[in-house]
Amino acid sequence: MKKTIVTGGAGFIGSHTCVELLAAGIEPVIVDDLRNSEERVLDGLEKITGRKPVIHRIDCTDARAMDLVFATERPDSVIHFAADKAVGESVRDPLKYYHNNIGSLVTLLRVMADHQVKDLVFSSSCTVYGEGDKLPITEDSPTGAAASPYGYTKVVCEQLLRDVCAADPALRTVMLRYFNPIGAHPSAQIGELPIGVPNNLVPFITQAAAGLRKQLTVFGNDYPTRDGSCIRDYIHVVDLAKAHVLALQWINRQSGAVCEVFNLGTGQGSTVLEAVNTFEAVNGVKVPYAIGPRRAGDVMAIYADTAKSLRLLGWRTELTLADALRDAWRWQLALGK
Ligand code: UD1
């Protein structure tokens, strides 16, 4: 069985990817210090897959610990999820973001080189496009206009990977630009575990619907969109997870150098109010909400052109916004109101 190191494998997207890796006959080895996730994710993974993945509880910027993991596990490839991702926090504490997000990638690439591991899938984000020049947005659109230090760490990591690929053509890397991952595993065994007050829309919706938050604030209804609220491309985390397996398999089929970037979205934009209405319709519960001011740093509208992912990876989403909002609600109920 091929073995993949999954940094951040106990996190939201990482844990769902572990499920899909196992389904594809690839063994995930998790590297995660659980700073932003919980040990019980491993129980959820065991319930879904019948196997409890190995976890190394280390910080990815710790070169010696990472070296030891590679020496013991002898992986064939790496999927690098581990990163800090709270946009607001990155504005308050940029050094934390530059240190962790860039430092962990530098460390990882050094350790990979030392152990002759060549295949890497990297978690990037549509945030690298900033406001974007045309919609749907294609991979060749200009990047670098990110609205936050978090976003810039993704811009820098992508550039860093391009530079390292140019210097070492044996390195084979794919950068996946996620749009807005939401939902949970349909089994409700794993899902997103926001710590404190959620920053992201869907965890806030589920908590407001569950009565844990007084109400959702819709950040602005005066944008020039069809109902005045912002447009995003919400993608079910299970669809997203499957793309990682296809990306690894695609790298494997290539001969020679690989340094490629792919959008991972549905190709459909939904407004905030459409997400709220769909949530209410599919789950039969009300979401208390009020319209508030715009949030600083929000782009008005962004959604993916997914033609390249379909053409090269053979990947397209299979699940809908309604599926994702149903699964998000099931997960909220499983967590307990
Ligand atoms: C942001 C980042 C993205 C990152 C993601 C995960 C940017 C431009 N985007 O996405 O790169 O991967 O976070 O952390 O930096 N909304 C409300 N009320 C709320 C929360 C959100 O109306 O309480 C609205 C927002 O204005 C936005 C939409 O919901 O229009 C989605 O927001 P959110 O879930 O925070 O994701 P993004 O900001 O799109």
Side-chain angles (χ1 to χ4, degrees), residues 5 7 59-63 66-67 70 75 77-80 82 100-123 153-154 156-175 251 258-259:
I5 297 274
T7 75
D59 180 334
C60 293
T61 61
D62 182 341
M66 289 291 277
D67 182 67
F70 275 68
S77 58
V78 180
I79 307 180
H80 184 45
N100 287 342
N101 293 4
I102 297 167
S104 62
L105 181 60
V106 172
T107 304
L108 177 66
L109 288 168
R110 286 225 167 99
V111 176
M112 284 176 66
D114 289 346
H115 292 268
Q116 270 94 50
V117 178
K118 297 295 181 191
D119 295 358
L120 172 68
V121 175
F122 175 72
S123 301
T153 67
K154 295 296 178 187
V156 173
C157 285
E158 283 197 2
Q159 186 56 45
L160 193 158
L161 282 168
R162 279 188 279 272
D163 292 342
V164 176
C165 282
D168 175 10
L171 182 69
R172 292 135 58 88
T173 187
V174 155
M175 300 167 242
I251 295 177
V258 178
C259 188

Side-chain angles (χ1 to χ4, degrees), residues 127-329:
T127 194
V128 299
Y129 295 121
E131 189 69 58
D133 55 351
K134 59 175 189 315
L135 292 173
I137 201 152
T138 51
E139 287 85 351
D140 54 10
S141 302
T143 62
S148 68
Y150 156 75
Y152 276 110
T153 67
K154 295 296 178 187
V155 173
V156 173
C157 285
E158 283 197 2
Q159 186 56 45
L160 193 158
L161 282 168
R162 279 188 279 272
D163 292 342
V164 176
C165 282
D168 175 10
L171 182 69
R172 292 135 58 88
T173 187
V174 155
M175 300 167 242
L176 301 177
R177 291 181 180 153
Y178 310 151
F179 282 68
N180 286 59
I182 61 163
H185 196 266
S187 66
Q189 295 293 344
I190 53 173
E192 200 167 358
L193 284 171
I195 295 171
V197 182
N199 297 304
N200 296 115
L201 178 65
V202 171
F204 209 107
I205 288 180
T206 61
Q207 291 194 7
L212 298 173
R213 307 276 160 209
K214 193 166 147 269
Q215 64 183 15
L216 167 76
T217 303
V218 174
F219 295 140
N221 70 344
D222 57 350
Y223 287 94
T225 60
R226 49 189 177 264
D227 61 23
S229 61
C230 291
I231 293 178
R232 295 288 183 276
D233 186 339
Y234 296 99
I235 170 172
H236 197 301
V237 66
V238 170
D239 275 332
L240 190 66
K242 288 180 178 169
H244 293 74
V245 177
L246 290 171
L248 264 191
Q249 292 169 336
W250 180 77
I251 295 177
N252 242 289
R253 289 197 301 276
Q254 308 308 304
S255 51
V258 178
C259 188
E260 210 65 60
V261 43
F262 293 98
N263 281 342
L264 296 183
T266 64
Q268 302 291 321
S270 305
T271 69
V272 176
L273 293 170
E274 285 164 357
V276 170
N277 292 336
T278 306
F279 181 90
E280 290 185 337
V282 76
N283 295 312
V285 277
K286 281 275 163 212
V287 180
Y289 73 86
I291 307 294
R294 294 181 177 192
R295 180 172 67 177
D298 267 341
V299 303
M300 174 186 69
I302 191 156
Y303 50 95
D305 185 309
T306 57
K308 183 178 175 186
S309 302
L310 177 61
R311 192 173 75 249
L312 296 187
L313 302 180
W315 175 86
R316 65 149 56 97
T317 56
E318 292 162 353
L319 299 163
T320 62
L321 177 64
D323 293 328
L325 294 171
R326 179 203 60 213
D327 292 337
W329 181 234

Side-chain angles (χ1 to χ4, degrees), residues 42-116:
L42 301 177
D43 301 327
L45 287 175
E46 189 175 16
K47 288 206 179 95
I48 298 168
T49 66
R51 296 184 52 170
K52 203 164 188 167
V54 170
I55 178 167
H56 296 270
R57 295 184 58 165
I58 59 166
D59 180 334
C60 293
T61 61
D62 182 341
R64 285 175 64 170
M66 289 291 277
D67 182 67
L68 198 58
V69 169
F70 275 68
T72 4
E73 297 290 354
R74 311 181 66 77
D76 300 286
S77 58
V78 180
I79 307 180
H80 184 45
F81 291 104
D84 290 314
K85 60 165 188 178
V87 173
E89 185 191 42
S90 79
V91 176
R92 291 189 299 277
D93 192 356
L95 283 180
K96 174 177 173 183
Y97 278 70
Y98 284 102
H99 176 79
N100 287 342
N101 293 4
I102 297 167
S104 62
L105 181 60
V106 172
T107 304
L108 177 66
L109 288 168
R110 286 225 167 99
V111 176
M112 284 176 66
D114 289 346
H115 292 268
Q116 270 94 50

